[in-house]
Amino acid sequence: MAKVTEQAVREALATVQDEERGGDVISLGMISGLAIREGNVAFAIEVTPEEGPRKEGLRRACEKAVLGVPGVTSVTAVLTAERPAERPGAASGAGKGPAAARPQAAGKPALEGVKHIIAVASGKGGVGKSTTSVNLAIALAGLGQKVGLLDADIYGPSLPRMMGITGKPTSPDGKTLLPMENYGIKCMSIGFLIEEDTPMIWRGPMVISALEQMLRDVAWAPLDILVVDMPPGTGDAQLTLAQRTPLAGAVIVSTPQDIALLDARKGLAMFRRVDVPVLGIIENMSYFTCPHCGERSDIFGHGGARETAEKLGCDFLGEIPLAMPIRETSDAGHPITVSQPDSPHAGAYRAIAEEITEKLNAGAGAPKGPRIVIE
Ligand code: ADP
């Protein structure tokens, strides 16, 4: 089969005219985030929020044109209403002491009706970031707060499975999506909106636009806390997301090995770069409790996160053991915090949730210190 090249796709798109703007979509610079994986092509068409509703025809025309390119088997084109980009707030974050949360990050439009947004991040995938996000969200709700959970892990959305939610969100007014709900948590995930076999080739600006829509075009309010399960890693997409979301703070999930590999430190550095306070580090899969004899083994070595947190001047929020019931319950859609709320594992999540809540409340309304911006 013919290999699909970027040039061939661009040439096909150059035949599509936007009558309203008077030109083709390539010359007008409307295409972004073009990604090609074998025969699957994805891209975004950048329009203004006002134009959005009128551009469905243009979107279809773009898809049709690209489908005509030899070798192309599927096309995903999305309209994105880009908001003006901000400059990264390069700030004097490094070396700051333990962070107190702030109500909203400076300069970013707040989400109306949402008191605090926190990010749950990790230096790499597979450390249990989603499991932690889900259990933390439920534990935070258990403290009497209204909680939302946004699955921004666009590369491997696991919220639908872990929260036991199926089906698609609806939009009665055609503008705002209603979040899905289970265990008292309002949830949104790209996993609800795409078919499971849709190729995950969204990258760069497309990822950001999709996430911004999930943040701003979903009826979240009223919420006390919105937990954002970030995409794993510390690349451009993560940095931009951290920079554009009005985050009150970030929590970094790490395994003991991951600490040794410095991945968690990269996460810390990323948030500091964009002036988001790090609320602390959670050590996941910290130790193993034998289900038969109850003996605790520190199979990966233990305590690395606490030491690293101390060294880097950020707080240590707690440790979660490597435990079969944590895996089984979250993978089956009944996280341990709802299915076994009296277990010590649920207690560990609850203790972390209490500490996070305290920090958020302590930070709310606190006067901001001076901020040095390096131009
Ligand atoms: P990430 O979001 O970092 O990619 P996940 O939360 O999807 O990671 O977790 C990866 C796998 O590890 C899942 O199968 C999950 O059930 C399991 N897992 C996560 N945390 C624990 C834990 N503390 N004990 C046992 N299994 C865990």
Side-chain angles (χ1 to χ4, degrees):
M1 195 183 276
K3 188 172 180 308
V4 181
T5 62
E6 183 172 334
Q7 194 191 349
V9 173
R10 287 191 179 278
E11 278 169 13
L13 285 168
T15 64
V16 182
Q17 294 287 321
D18 180 2
E19 303 297 341
E20 193 180 359
R21 291 196 189 183
D24 72 83
V25 293
I26 292 288
S27 315
L28 290 167
M30 294 172 78
I31 303 299
S32 68
L34 178 61
I36 303 168
R37 184 173 289 174
E38 290 164 1
N40 304 303
V41 180
F43 53 89
I45 307 161
E46 289 182 17
V47 296
T48 63
E50 299 74 45
E51 282 177 318
R54 301 194 295 272
K55 297 290 188 200
E56 177 55 22
L58 182 74
R59 190 191 69 76
R60 277 205 232 120
C62 289
E63 277 193 350
K64 196 165 160 227
V66 176
L67 259 181
V69 174
V72 171
T73 49
S74 81
V75 182
T76 310
V78 293
L79 292 171
T80 64
E82 276 286 349
R83 280 151 183 103
E86 281 173 62
R87 262 178 46 76
S92 62
K96 245 188 233 168
R102 315 170 282 184
Q104 301 289 6
K108 296 167 212 178
L111 260 197
E112 211 171 306
V114 178
K115 267 193 223 150
H116 306 289
I117 307 179
I118 59 167
V120 178
S122 63
K124 62 168 191 187
V127 303
K129 174 181 52 57
S130 299
T131 309
T132 307
S133 303
V134 162
N135 280 297
L136 262 187
I138 294 170
L140 286 163
L143 301 175
Q145 309 179 90
K146 290 196 192 71
V147 179
L149 182 57
L150 168 57
D151 179 7
D153 191 345
I154 208 135
Y155 305 111
S158 43
L159 180 148
R161 177 173 44 88
M162 289 188 179
M163 288 296 284
I165 303 177
T166 49
K168 291 207 181 301
T170 55
S171 175
D173 66 358
K175 286 188 210 132
T176 311
L177 274 183
L178 297 184
M180 310 285 276
E181 205 165 323
N182 201 9
Y183 309 129
I185 312 286
K186 288 183 185 167
C187 299
M188 186 49 68
S189 166
I190 197 85
F192 294 140
L193 306 172
I194 51 159
E195 300 303 328
E196 249 177 70
D197 54 1
T198 302
M200 274 293 166
I201 55 174
W202 292 16
R203 292 289 186 271
M206 253 177 113
V207 170
I208 300 303
S209 305
L211 292 176
E212 278 205 328
Q213 283 175 18
M214 292 205 297
L215 193 69
R216 308 222 172 252
D217 301 341
V218 169
W220 291 114
L223 282 187
D224 294 308
I225 302 181
L226 177 61
V227 177
V228 181
D229 181 3
M230 295 278 286
T234 49
D236 283 352
Q238 290 81 355
L239 186 71
T240 312
L241 186 61
Q243 176 193 329
R244 291 212 196 162
T245 311
L247 292 170
V251 170
I252 295 178
V253 179
S254 172
T255 62
Q257 316 93 299
D258 171 35
I259 284 284
L261 291 170
L262 299 182
D263 280 324
R265 296 179 192 210
K266 280 193 223 150
L268 209 92
M270 175 180 84
F271 286 109
R272 286 183 166 168
R273 228 179 111 191
V274 293
D275 204 20
V276 170
V278 174
L279 300 175
I281 299 182
I282 299 174
E283 187 169 276
N284 188 39
M285 310 193 198
S286 177
Y287 55 91
F288 177 70
T289 315
C290 173
H292 308 294
C293 68
E295 195 196 339
R296 169 176 166 150
S297 323
D298 293 337
I299 42 182
F300 301 121
H302 162 255
R306 185 185 289 275
E307 270 168 35
T308 303
E310 269 167 24
K311 249 189 235 153
L312 299 176
C314 89
D315 284 351
F316 180 68
L317 291 173
E319 53 198 24
I320 306 290
L322 172 71
M324 275 284 257
I326 294 181
R327 192 191 66 70
E328 285 168 348
T329 52
S330 64
D331 288 354
H334 307 283
I336 197 149
T337 36
V338 271
S339 54
Q340 300 171 28
D342 299 327
S343 63
H345 306 325
Y349 286 114
R350 203 155 40 237
I352 296 174
E354 279 167 7
E355 192 161 339
I356 290 175
T357 306
E358 237 168 67
K359 285 184 165 221
L360 291 173
N361 291 338
K368 260 191 228 113
R371 192 163 160 262
I372 303 160
V373 177
I374 303 155
E375 289 295 339

